[in-house]
Amino acid sequence: GINAEYGVEVLSDLREGNETKPPELQREDDASVRVCLDKVGIDVASGNIWSDYVNFIRDGEAAGSYAENQKIMAVRRVYQRAVMMPLSNVEQLWRDYSTFEQNVNEIIAKKLLEERSRDYQNARRVAKDYEATTRGLTRGAPAVPPQNNSEERQQIDMWKKYITWEKNNPMRSDDNALIKKRVMYAYEQALLTWGHHPDIWYEAALFLERTANLVHEKGDTQTAQKWKDEVAGLYDKATTGLLRNNLLLHFAFADYEESRMNTAECHKIYTNLLTVVKDPTLVYVQFYEVRKACRRDPESPSDLQESSRGHQVYLSYFTLLVL
């Protein structure tokens, strides 16, 4: 996962010598910065990245009046995006934006600032709420297995409180994509430290699945499909990474793929799980239940490891044969 600190480093590297770079290289760097902002630009701590991006654009060479006007419009677009986000320095960004418009054209500055004022006030309110909601939250700690102590429980409760706050849509936005992006970013930041906790992965996947279903009901099937694929990607990241040995998360992943009629993927999940667990009995039981649900012809368990042949495996197998 990445965060605002990573974005600062990226932009710092790109700004070095920017004013002397050829135009084609400046365009490539600009595209890299926009990708970075798309990833971390909603982070409340990313305000300096937005400020640096403005300076990055200003540093670029602009030969002639047309190029200079293009630069002005580019700076304006960045400011207008930034001041509507709940950033820690949004008030300074608004002052800088106001000064920028005044210097460009005093006549149209008032109109442009009035048009953005409501969004800015909303962002300013949310930034203050964010500060109160996340006070005491620990970031950047290495991911370690559950310690089951009071400090850990307190921090997880605080992270879940913050995530719930994002789910409640403090931005008061009608944009499902923005709401989803903010909530999932909160989950991603939580998982940087709490990635060994399967409940957080599962809650994130469940939220994303429900959000995908919501936009599907509204008729946006393309976005819904994209987000449903992201659910599978999230499960895959968990079950091939820190929680590769977690049975329940694998089962949840397999159930999800089964619900999407992705039988081959479902079977692949169980097959992969069998390579990492010490006692595969429960995996076989669940696997054969899935095969039954999919109405697939059962395979004989004769090729199973001798040590894994518990009575539950055979009971599940024989039950399947007679149904």
Side-chain angles (χ1 to χ4, degrees):
I2 62 174
N3 53 24
E5 292 180 5
Y6 168 82
V8 170
E9 293 176 6
V10 169
L11 195 51
S12 177
D13 291 341
L14 292 175
R15 279 195 68 190
E16 189 173 347
N18 184 50
E19 63 277 1
T20 60
K21 292 179 181 178
E24 60 273 14
L25 191 54
Q26 288 183 9
R27 286 192 292 271
E28 290 179 9
D29 288 351
D30 183 76
S32 297
V33 176
R34 283 187 276 112
V35 169
C36 177
L37 279 171
D38 186 58
K39 296 287 187 182
V40 301
I42 60 172
D43 193 309
V44 72
S46 69
N48 288 335
I49 304 178
W50 289 97
S51 297
D52 286 347
Y53 186 31
V54 168
N55 294 327
F56 174 84
I57 297 173
R58 285 174 166 168
D59 289 343
E61 183 180 354
S65 58
Y66 175 78
E68 189 62 37
N69 284 333
Q70 290 293 105
K71 182 189 287 190
I72 288 172
M73 287 190 289
V75 170
R76 177 176 289 133
R77 283 194 298 269
V78 174
Y79 269 133
Q80 289 181 344
R81 284 184 62 194
V83 298
M84 63 186 295
M85 294 188 180
L87 306 170
S88 59
N89 65 340
V90 69
E91 294 180 14
Q92 182 60 52
L93 282 165
W94 178 256
R95 288 192 290 270
D96 293 344
Y97 173 51
S98 299
T99 301
F100 164 76
E101 291 293 9
Q102 292 287 344
N103 290 336
V104 171
N105 189 316
E106 291 186 5
I107 297 175
I108 66 171
K110 182 178 180 181
K111 178 178 181 295
L112 290 172
L113 292 171
E114 285 179 352
E115 289 175 352
R116 300 290 166 174
S117 178
R118 183 175 180 180
D119 288 335
Y120 159 65
Q121 292 295 341
N122 184 53
R124 184 168 171 266
R125 173 188 60 80
V126 177
K128 292 183 182 298
D129 287 349
Y130 171 91
E131 183 180 353
T133 302
T134 61
R135 190 173 291 120
L137 207 63
T138 299
R139 302 173 184 272
V144 297
Q147 303 299 300
N148 297 316
N149 56 43
S150 59
E151 183 180 358
E152 179 184 79
R153 287 191 293 271
Q154 183 183 31
Q155 278 296 311
I156 291 176
D157 286 345
M158 291 181 67
W159 273 101
K160 290 188 175 182
K161 175 186 174 185
Y162 160 46
I163 291 168
T164 299
W165 177 77
E166 286 287 9
K167 288 180 179 178
N168 288 333
N169 189 17
M171 295 286 290
R172 300 171 185 168
S173 174
D174 296 325
D175 185 352
N176 285 312
L178 176 61
I179 298 169
K180 171 258 185 186
K181 185 175 184 178
R182 292 188 63 85
V183 173
M184 291 309 299
Y185 186 77
Y187 272 120
E188 288 168 8
Q189 297 306 297
L191 288 167
L192 290 177
T193 298
W194 308 111
H196 285 277
H197 293 253
D199 56 317
I200 300 178
W201 287 98
Y202 181 70
E203 288 173 14
L206 197 61
F207 166 80
L208 190 50
E209 182 182 0
R210 287 172 175 170
T211 306
N213 290 336
L214 179 64
V215 298
H216 186 274
E217 291 172 3
K218 293 185 176 181
D220 191 350
T221 55
Q222 186 174 358
T223 298
Q225 183 59 50
K226 179 184 175 183
W227 291 357
K228 287 178 180 179
D229 290 341
E230 288 179 14
V231 175
L234 190 65
Y235 274 126
D236 184 67
K237 184 177 180 180
T239 55
T240 57
L242 294 176
L243 297 175
R244 63 179 64 87
N245 296 322
N246 187 276
L247 290 179
L248 293 181
L249 210 54
H250 278 85
F251 292 164
F253 185 12
D255 285 346
Y256 175 69
E257 290 293 19
E258 182 190 352
S259 73
R260 298 206 299 165
M261 306 302 290
N262 289 342
T263 306
E265 285 299 317
C266 181
H267 288 188
K268 180 182 176 182
I269 293 164
Y270 283 113
T271 302
N272 291 340
L273 180 57
L274 288 169
T275 66
V276 297
V277 296
K278 294 180 179 179
D279 181 5
T281 302
L282 185 58
V283 180
Y284 282 121
V285 171
Q286 189 75 5
F287 188 24
Y288 281 110
E289 287 297 320
V290 170
R291 294 180 66 83
K292 181 174 65 177
C294 294
R295 291 182 171 83
R296 295 278 301 267
D297 291 332
E299 298 173 357
S300 170
S302 59
D303 59 340
L304 306 185
Q305 296 178 13
E306 194 71 31
S307 60
S308 71
R309 292 180 175 177
H311 71 278
Q312 290 175 313
V313 176
Y314 281 103
L315 179 59
S316 178
Y317 174 66
F318 291 134
T319 303
L320 179 57
L321 287 178
V322 300
L323 289 180

